[in-house]
Amino acid sequence: MSLSHLTNRRRTDLAQPFPADWNSHDEFFCYTRGRFITNESHEMAIRHVKFNMNELAKCAAKSIGPDSAHCVRIDKFPDGMFNKTFLFTMDNGAQVVGKVPNPNAGRAHYTTASEVATMDFVRSKLGTPVPKVLAWSSKASENSVGAEYVIMEKVSGLQLDKIWPNMDIKERFELVKTISGYQKSWMSTSFSQYGSLYYSSDLPDCDECTLSKADGSEVKEHGFSVGPSTGREFLDDGRMALDFDRGPWDTVEQYKTAVGLREIACVQNISELPKSPVSLYGPGTYRPSRSKKTAVLESYLRLLRFFLPLDRSISSSYLWHPDLHAENIFVNPERPAEVLGIIDWQSSELLPLFDHAREPYFLDFDGSYSGSLNPPQLPDNFDQLDPVEQGKAKSLYLKNSLVTLYRKFTLAKNETLFKAMDFRRSTSFEMMLLAQNLLVDGESLYLSRILQLQDEWSCLPGVSASGYPPFPIQFSEAEAASINKDSTGAIRGMEIMRQLKESLGDLWPEKGVVRSDQYDQTKERLKQAKTELIDRLSRSEAERAAWEDAWPFDE
């Protein structure tokens, strides 16, 4: 995952003449991209990994081939949230990239093993430009480095985010068509199971996977197997440490059921419920509780079969890139529509097509698109707007134009993907999507949505297929009133958090982190904002104490 507002593309210059003790550079092992506003010691600890850099440098040199090659320079790329990545330069000028996962990247062995197998499959079987893996180890105890690692080819070209702002809409659309072509190739092969992909040698208890080709034929793919999911939703917010069904699953209903059971297991067993990133809960707002989260998830499980689409083509299992943003796409700077490499396949999953089928992140789509295939229009009062508002209107117009072109092209060239994208706009998809993160937030609004669902019941896919059974969940008037009250409180909590975020502007700690040079300023501004918020919202000492307790940031 990227934090674009923290991006600093200058590599850390730690070059020294060979021979050198690379282990003496603490920066290699620590998170150095920014500072965390809350629980910083913990956040830094889960992003600190100590390993033998001297040995990793040797592995990097050996991966190139000649015994005479020696590593003479190591540059650290800006930290990601889950990995550390380095550029190794040899005395013969050759360069390779090395990647070491942080403790928070995923479960030992599985995350690295799946990433490597996925890169191989996408590169060799699906024809996508992915860097070739030259050496790797998913078992820290069995290598000289003392950590899991992947060494791969260095991708040529430039990251898309460096040139995207200067590309006109024609160039951008040409790139969109290129990416759409790769998506088409990813859809040339579906899998018989849901989970994540591995080499069969890394999953001795699993059978080799069965693939369905575009012509309807089924074949065994020798050397590859489907195993436990490495998706972030099975790892983040304390989930990684708990035991629950991680797959693989044979049907989409089994997979979506496992999601609900996963959230219930985490709600009931995690030591402390995660704080919401979008709401501030205090007096007069909704207050999360384990019992309400569990009850809502049980309702989701009762309704699930009615949400699933009848069209199996959009619920079949496909392999997809999990984070197709501009920093993960490398292009030819002379011909930006030519993609030279797509990186960061960690946490890739084999999921229903409707879970994959969203507009690529590099389109900078913010959800404001109407869904129409008609060309967007500038506001009628555009000429009366001030320059700042005109700039915003033009930016939104360009984004929506590009999204419209993408959707039109997808409809013309890849109708099944378009149908999956259309399903994502349905109530059914909304109800499945929101259930995936109820450990963290959203149970009050989810229950309110169930209350409204009675009016849409006959339109759900599984209802007509089941002969239009009655709505399976009944609410008394008192229960409905309580649900509406909780929903109103949740919306108020979200509005308070929105106002807080707006008041901080560029200092807002996205994902809890800010640039190091903004840390002190952000802390001071949050302190001021806290005082202002408590003074504005509190009507008693008890309420002041409650807002103090609800404040999500460290002093």
Side-chain angles (χ1 to χ4, degrees), residues 225-346:
S225 296
V226 181
S229 171
T230 61
R232 295 250 51 97
E233 288 178 348
F234 285 84
L235 303 168
D236 291 343
D237 298 301
R239 296 179 179 93
M240 185 163 59
L242 300 180
D243 291 326
F244 46 77
D245 180 10
R246 299 176 184 272
W249 306 278
D250 294 328
T251 68
V252 65
E253 186 170 2
Q254 287 178 3
Y255 161 60
K256 290 298 184 180
T257 298
V259 169
L261 294 175
R262 174 197 75 200
E263 294 296 273
I264 290 175
C266 293
V267 166
Q268 294 179 342
N269 294 289
I270 200 166
S271 59
E272 183 178 352
L273 290 177
K275 290 186 181 295
S276 168
V278 297
S279 299
L280 193 57
Y281 294 130
T285 72
Y286 170 75
R287 306 299 291 271
S289 73
R290 296 179 193 266
S291 60
K292 288 184 179 180
K293 287 179 182 289
T294 300
V296 170
L297 285 161
E298 289 172 346
S299 296
Y300 157 78
L301 291 172
R302 291 180 64 185
L303 294 168
L304 171 61
R305 66 187 180 94
F306 300 108
F307 298 147
L308 297 172
L310 302 181
D311 185 348
R312 292 187 178 181
S313 70
I314 68 172
S315 60
S316 295
S317 171
Y318 290 97
L319 181 58
W320 217 258
H321 192 283
D323 192 17
L324 204 56
H325 62 73
E327 290 185 22
N328 285 336
I329 301 172
F330 285 74
V331 299
N332 184 336
E334 303 299 323
R335 297 183 300 278
E338 180 184 352
V339 175
L340 301 179
I342 301 176
I343 65 170
D344 198 3
W345 293 82
Q346 189 179 81

Side-chain angles (χ1 to χ4, degrees), residues 139-290:
K139 297 182 179 179
S141 62
E142 297 181 5
N143 63 54
S144 60
V145 175
E148 299 180 33
Y149 66 86
V150 181
I151 296 171
M152 66 195 89
E153 293 176 329
K154 177 179 178 290
V155 180
S156 58
L158 290 177
Q159 286 174 298
L160 175 60
D161 65 317
K162 292 183 178 180
I163 61 175
W164 179 261
N166 298 320
M167 292 169 59
D168 60 33
I169 192 167
K170 181 179 179 181
E171 291 175 319
R172 293 184 182 190
F173 184 49
E174 288 302 314
L175 176 64
V176 164
K177 291 195 289 186
T178 301
I179 295 298
S180 295
Y182 292 129
Q183 292 177 329
K184 182 80 170 179
S185 71
W186 300 344
M187 288 180 59
S188 66
T189 299
S190 65
F191 294 75
S192 63
Q193 291 181 297
Y194 304 81
S196 287
L197 192 63
Y198 300 81
Y199 289 129
S200 300
S201 56
D202 287 314
L203 295 177
D205 297 330
C206 293
D207 296 331
E208 292 180 320
C209 61
T210 300
L211 308 180
S212 296
K213 297 295 186 179
D215 61 5
S217 62
E218 290 192 350
V219 296
K220 282 282 187 182
E221 184 59 55
H222 299 298
F224 292 92
S225 296
V226 181
S229 171
T230 61
R232 295 250 51 97
E233 288 178 348
F234 285 84
L235 303 168
D236 291 343
D237 298 301
R239 296 179 179 93
M240 185 163 59
L242 300 180
D243 291 326
F244 46 77
D245 180 10
R246 299 176 184 272
W249 306 278
D250 294 328
T251 68
V252 65
E253 186 170 2
Q254 287 178 3
Y255 161 60
K256 290 298 184 180
T257 298
V259 169
L261 294 175
R262 174 197 75 200
E263 294 296 273
I264 290 175
C266 293
V267 166
Q268 294 179 342
N269 294 289
I270 200 166
S271 59
E272 183 178 352
L273 290 177
K275 290 186 181 295
S276 168
V278 297
S279 299
L280 193 57
Y281 294 130
T285 72
Y286 170 75
R287 306 299 291 271
S289 73
R290 296 179 193 266

Side-chain angles (χ1 to χ4, degrees), residues 1-4 7 33 79-83 99 115 118 122 159-161 179 183 186 230-232 236 319-330 341-349 351 355-365 424 511:
M1 300 291 180
S2 69
L3 290 174
S4 58
T7 300
R33 192 169 185 169
D79 282 280
M81 294 298 278
F82 305 105
N83 303 277
K99 180 176 182 179
E115 180 179 12
T118 298
V122 173
Q159 286 174 298
L160 175 60
D161 65 317
I179 295 298
Q183 292 177 329
W186 300 344
T230 61
R232 295 250 51 97
D236 291 343
L319 181 58
W320 217 258
H321 192 283
D323 192 17
L324 204 56
H325 62 73
E327 290 185 22
N328 285 336
I329 301 172
F330 285 74
I342 301 176
I343 65 170
D344 198 3
W345 293 82
Q346 189 179 81
S347 303
S348 295
E349 295 176 278
L351 296 182
D355 275 342
H356 291 311
R358 57 147 290 150
E359 289 79 5
Y361 290 102
F362 70 84
L363 294 182
D364 197 20
F365 176 62
R424 290 177 67 93
K511 299 186 180 179

